[in-house]
Amino acid sequence: MQTQTAVRAAQMGGQVGLKEGLPVTDGRVDILKLWLRLYPGDMHADLRKLNDEGLSKRADFRQVSPTEFVRFWGLMIAGTVYAQRGRDLWENSNMLDGIRDQPQFQKYMAFHRFKITRSLIIYCKAETQQIGLDPWAWFRNGVDDFNRNRRDVLQQGVYQTMDESMSAYKPRKDKLGGLPNITYIHRKPKPLGTEMKTMCDCATGVMVYMEVQEGKNAMREKSMQPNMECLPRVCYEWRRMQVMKA
């Protein structure tokens, strides 16, 4: 979805959209290059961290290649549009919706390689030196990289709109399921999970900023102006990031 809206943004002209314009190959939009440009952070640095962790666990670990890494994310995204889940995406299943063919993910990546990559993917953005000190050390760099990427890559329009997103999660073993904080929002289709306050560019529909809701006490202390209400604080932090870049 972010890639589609970025294409639309770039086609709207120079005032909004990608600062460097659309990547084009043979007269067509190069979706892979566009995705890589929107990737939050340094993909090769993230891949090195993943492989270093894999080698530390097993001496015979076969490192994940850049091609596998990109395919892994492609399959993660593609899996959201199918009714099948888990191994059924790799095997022929009776769960057809009458519109799409069998997923046949095995054509792109073996299931066991996908599982190995998924088990290590959390290390891509982990700040290992902060684990035990910062409860969000596994994830904070990912949010920061996302916000910096959208600031640096996108020419944002005049108007932004606030929203909230929910990364649904259902704990299985304890109250928080290993997360530092979980939010419950009754009106959401899946009301339990990690809540994020977000900001989207009105001209393109692209999400340009997110802030994870870390819990009442943590958010009270987070901002430079801790008495701010949530939405003004997000606006303040987004604007501060723009000014810091300038």
Side-chain angles (χ1 to χ4, degrees):
M1 182 62 71
Q2 290 283 301
T3 302
Q4 293 174 348
T5 50
V7 170
R8 186 170 71 249
Q11 293 172 339
M12 294 176 67
Q15 293 184 345
V16 296
L18 295 175
K19 292 181 179 179
E20 298 180 4
L22 278 174
V24 176
T25 301
D26 296 330
R28 302 180 63 181
V29 175
D30 192 318
I31 297 298
L32 175 58
K33 290 182 178 178
L34 176 58
W35 184 87
L36 292 172
R37 195 177 295 179
L38 292 171
Y39 181 86
D42 185 336
M43 189 194 81
H44 295 286
D46 289 348
L47 182 56
R48 282 195 298 272
K49 292 174 70 174
L50 181 151
N51 283 324
D52 287 347
E53 185 62 28
L55 289 169
S56 73
K57 293 179 180 296
R58 290 185 57 177
D60 61 345
F61 172 71
R62 181 161 67 89
Q63 296 192 42
V64 176
S65 69
T67 298
E68 283 184 304
F69 190 73
V70 172
R71 286 184 176 180
F72 168 83
W73 286 114
L75 294 177
M76 287 287 288
I77 296 168
T80 64
V81 303
Y82 286 97
Q84 294 91 330
R85 292 292 181 265
R87 187 182 287 273
D88 286 342
L89 290 163
W90 274 259
E91 300 174 351
N92 288 335
S93 164
N94 294 325
M95 296 177 61
L96 295 177
D97 56 15
I99 300 175
R100 302 174 185 84
D101 293 331
Q102 295 282 358
Q104 298 183 339
F105 281 11
Q106 70 274 11
K107 293 192 300 183
Y108 309 102
M109 192 176 194
F111 183 62
H112 76 277
R113 288 295 289 173
F114 179 87
K115 286 182 63 178
I116 290 171
T117 306
R118 186 179 62 183
S119 70
L120 296 169
I121 203 72
I122 191 173
Y123 292 96
C124 289
K125 298 299 183 182
E127 187 63 50
T128 53
Q129 295 179 344
Q130 293 297 313
I131 293 173
L133 302 174
D134 178 3
W136 293 92
W138 292 98
F139 185 61
R140 192 180 301 282
N141 280 347
V143 175
D144 292 342
D145 284 346
F146 176 90
N147 291 335
R148 280 191 291 265
N149 173 272
R150 296 305 185 262
R151 178 196 66 188
D152 296 342
V153 172
L154 295 174
Q155 182 64 48
Q156 300 173 26
V158 175
Y159 299 106
Q160 314 293 323
T161 185
M162 301 292 300
D163 201 355
E164 59 187 22
S165 299
M166 177 69 76
S167 178
Y169 184 68
K170 187 175 182 180
R172 297 181 183 274
K173 295 183 179 180
D174 54 51
K175 183 178 179 181
L176 298 180
L179 295 177
N181 181 67
I182 280 186
T183 303
Y184 180 85
I185 303 178
H186 180 71
R187 65 181 179 277
K188 293 291 185 181
K190 294 184 178 180
L192 191 63
T194 299
E195 180 191 7
M196 290 164 282
K197 301 298 184 184
T198 59
M199 184 175 290
C200 295
D201 180 59
C202 292
T204 64
V206 176
M207 185 189 297
V208 296
Y209 186 83
M210 70 165 67
E211 177 191 79
V212 175
Q213 301 306 289
E214 302 176 17
K216 186 179 296 184
N217 293 331
M219 300 313 297
R220 187 178 293 120
E221 300 173 359
K222 184 178 177 66
S223 177
M224 291 177 64
Q225 299 185 26
N227 292 325
M228 279 186 171
E229 295 294 332
C230 179
L231 296 185
R233 186 191 63 247
V234 172
C235 293
Y236 170 82
E237 295 291 351
W238 170 80
R239 179 57 183 164
R240 187 164 67 92
M241 174 172 273
Q242 310 304 311
V243 172
M244 288 173 62
K245 174 63 177 179

